[in-house]
Amino acid sequence: MPMIHVELFEGRSGEQKREFVEVLTRETCRILKCEPAAVDIIFQDVKKSNWAHAGKLAAES
Amino acid sequence: MPMIHVELFEGRSGEQKREFVEVLTRETCRILKCEPAAVDIIFQDVKKSNWAHAGKLAAES
Amino acid sequence: MPMIHVELFEGRSGEQKREFVEVLTRETCRILKCEPAAVDIIFQDVKKSNWAHAGKLAAES
Amino acid sequence: MPMIHVELFEGRSGEQKREFVEVLTRETCRILKCEPAAVDIIFQDVKKSNWAHAGKLAAES
Amino acid sequence: MPMIHVELFEGRSGEQKREFVEVLTRETCRILKCEPAAVDIIFQDVKKSNWAHAGKLAAES
Amino acid sequence: MPMIHVELFEGRSGEQKREFVEVLTRETCRILKCEPAAVDIIFQDVKKSNWAHAGKLAAES
């Protein structure tokens, strides 16, 4: 606890994900008062052809 | 709001997804009283080897 | 297949949910070519104090 | 995009959630290069009787 | 790893959940080759008024 | 009901998944008192570059 899922467009670099999980874990522990070992983060890369906003697929916006 | 996730077998066409998000967004706005810009839809294509029903993977049914 | 999850602010009526699942199931079957018995829809009512957009909880926007 | 779900034990204060979404949105935008308006965060409060780790419900650990 | 989510109708007892997580964790470790400490299970109790199958809410079937 | 999602590192064999869904469905029915036809299980294979624990991506631990 906590368990964090992040859905984002595919294409972010390994370097961005590495920094993101470092920062997010540190801030989670600071604000929610928990140990780093308690924090899991899962990214789900989503294709623009699989995400729609306002009735349109992002691939076609 | 709202946020809609749709898990389905892989293999649906872009045309099917396009029509689906148009219709689903329109009906969501009509019934739940919200603006199109408030509706996000994410598809998750699932392989038949990753979905089981009644104890059997769909790939083997 | 398919499995649909709908996250929305709490407060929608049973009547709205009833109409929503009828329409969504019918359109899903028509567009994605499946039987009604294959469609499951789960609503998750979310409190405004648990949903943030643009860095602010909806309860405070 | 992105869409972030945070499952955590119930009991965190509104103040903790408020700070968490502010910081998380700011860092998400900085690292993943997006606008605040693109970031949604949903908390799901989980009872300790509904979360198991290592085969035991947290309520009984 | 792994992370398991179980959505079920509300109303199952603590005893059922306790047995379920014990058995599920043991079988997960045996079959997927992992340690118990690697297995997290989260239950989500769903009201029958929030789950639809074949176009009807379970509360009305 | 119930609907079970299993997130795990990619690389498990079809044979492991086949045994897992058989056992999990059988135990679910026994403990939660339901029919096999009511049990759906979806696997989501996660790359080690998409799962972080304790602030580090699994790909780099």
Side-chain angles (χ1 to χ4, degrees):
Chain A
M1 155 7 261
M3 177 74 227
I4 301 174
H5 284 85
V6 181
E7 294 170 300
L8 71 179
F9 288 146
E10 60 182 9
R12 306 311 160 105
S13 70
E15 181 50 48
Q16 284 176 301
K17 289 179 179 173
R18 192 179 305 119
E19 183 180 2
F20 188 77
V21 300
E22 277 176 25
V23 171
L24 180 46
T25 301
R26 187 185 67 225
E27 295 296 323
T28 297
C29 293
R30 183 178 67 79
I31 299 170
L32 302 183
K33 311 297 182 204
C34 60
E35 295 300 308
V39 183
D40 276 273
I41 302 171
I42 294 177
F43 291 104
Q44 190 175 330
D45 299 310
V46 180
K47 294 179 187 178
K48 290 194 169 187
S49 55
N50 271 341
W51 195 320
H53 179 71
K56 276 191 191 298
L57 295 169
E60 304 180 347
S61 295
Chain B
M1 168 343 278
M3 176 74 226
I4 301 173
H5 284 85
V6 181
E7 294 170 300
L8 73 179
F9 288 147
E10 59 181 11
R12 304 314 160 104
S13 68
E15 180 51 46
Q16 285 176 300
K17 290 179 178 173
R18 192 178 306 120
E19 182 179 2
F20 188 78
V21 300
E22 277 176 24
V23 171
L24 180 46
T25 301
R26 188 184 65 223
E27 295 297 324
T28 296
C29 292
R30 182 178 67 80
I31 299 170
L32 302 182
K33 312 295 182 205
C34 60
E35 296 299 309
V39 182
D40 276 272
I41 302 170
I42 295 177
F43 291 103
Q44 190 176 331
D45 300 309
V46 181
K47 293 179 186 179
K48 289 194 169 189
S49 56
N50 271 341
W51 195 320
H53 179 70
K56 275 190 192 296
L57 295 169
E60 303 181 347
S61 296
Chain C
M1 170 338 282
M3 177 74 226
I4 300 173
H5 284 84
V6 182
E7 293 169 302
L8 73 179
F9 289 146
E10 59 181 10
R12 306 312 161 104
S13 68
E15 181 51 48
Q16 285 177 301
K17 288 179 178 173
R18 192 179 307 118
E19 182 179 2
F20 188 78
V21 301
E22 277 175 25
V23 170
L24 179 47
T25 301
R26 186 184 69 224
E27 295 297 323
T28 297
C29 292
R30 182 178 67 80
I31 298 170
L32 301 183
K33 312 294 183 205
C34 59
E35 296 299 310
V39 182
D40 276 272
I41 301 170
I42 295 177
F43 291 103
Q44 190 176 330
D45 299 310
V46 181
K47 293 178 187 178
K48 289 193 169 187
S49 55
N50 271 341
W51 194 320
H53 179 70
K56 274 189 192 298
L57 295 170
E60 304 180 347
S61 296
Chain D
M1 140 37 243
M3 176 74 226
I4 301 174
H5 284 85
V6 182
E7 294 169 301
L8 73 178
F9 288 146
E10 59 181 10
R12 306 312 162 106
S13 69
E15 180 51 47
Q16 285 176 302
K17 289 179 178 173
R18 192 178 307 120
E19 182 179 3
F20 189 78
V21 301
E22 276 176 25
V23 171
L24 181 46
T25 301
R26 187 185 67 224
E27 294 297 323
T28 297
C29 293
R30 182 179 67 79
I31 299 170
L32 301 183
K33 313 294 182 205
C34 59
E35 296 299 310
V39 182
D40 276 272
I41 303 171
I42 294 176
F43 291 103
Q44 189 175 333
D45 298 310
V46 181
K47 293 179 186 178
K48 289 194 169 187
S49 55
N50 271 341
W51 195 319
H53 179 70
K56 275 190 192 298
L57 294 169
E60 304 180 346
S61 294
Chain E
M1 154 10 259
M3 177 73 226
I4 301 174
H5 284 85
V6 182
E7 294 169 300
L8 73 179
F9 288 146
E10 59 182 9
R12 306 312 161 103
S13 69
E15 181 52 47
Q16 284 177 301
K17 289 180 179 173
R18 192 178 305 118
E19 182 179 2
F20 189 77
V21 301
E22 277 176 25
V23 171
L24 180 46
T25 301
R26 187 184 68 225
E27 294 297 323
T28 297
C29 293
R30 184 179 66 79
I31 298 170
L32 300 183
K33 311 296 182 208
C34 59
E35 295 300 310
V39 182
D40 276 272
I41 302 171
I42 294 176
F43 291 103
Q44 190 176 331
D45 299 309
V46 181
K47 293 179 186 178
K48 289 194 169 186
S49 55
N50 270 341
W51 195 319
H53 178 70
K56 274 190 193 298
L57 295 169
E60 304 180 346
S61 296
Chain F
M1 172 341 277
M3 176 73 225
I4 300 173
H5 284 85
V6 182
E7 293 170 301
L8 72 180
F9 288 147
E10 60 181 10
R12 306 312 161 104
S13 68
E15 180 52 47
Q16 285 176 301
K17 289 179 179 173
R18 192 179 304 120
E19 183 179 2
F20 188 78
V21 300
E22 276 176 26
V23 171
L24 180 46
T25 300
R26 187 184 67 226
E27 295 297 323
T28 297
C29 293
R30 182 178 68 78
I31 299 169
L32 301 183
K33 311 297 182 204
C34 59
E35 296 300 309
V39 183
D40 276 273
I41 302 169
I42 295 178
F43 290 104
Q44 190 176 331
D45 300 309
V46 181
K47 293 179 186 177
K48 289 193 169 188
S49 55
N50 271 341
W51 195 321
H53 179 71
K56 276 191 190 298
L57 295 169
E60 303 180 347
S61 296

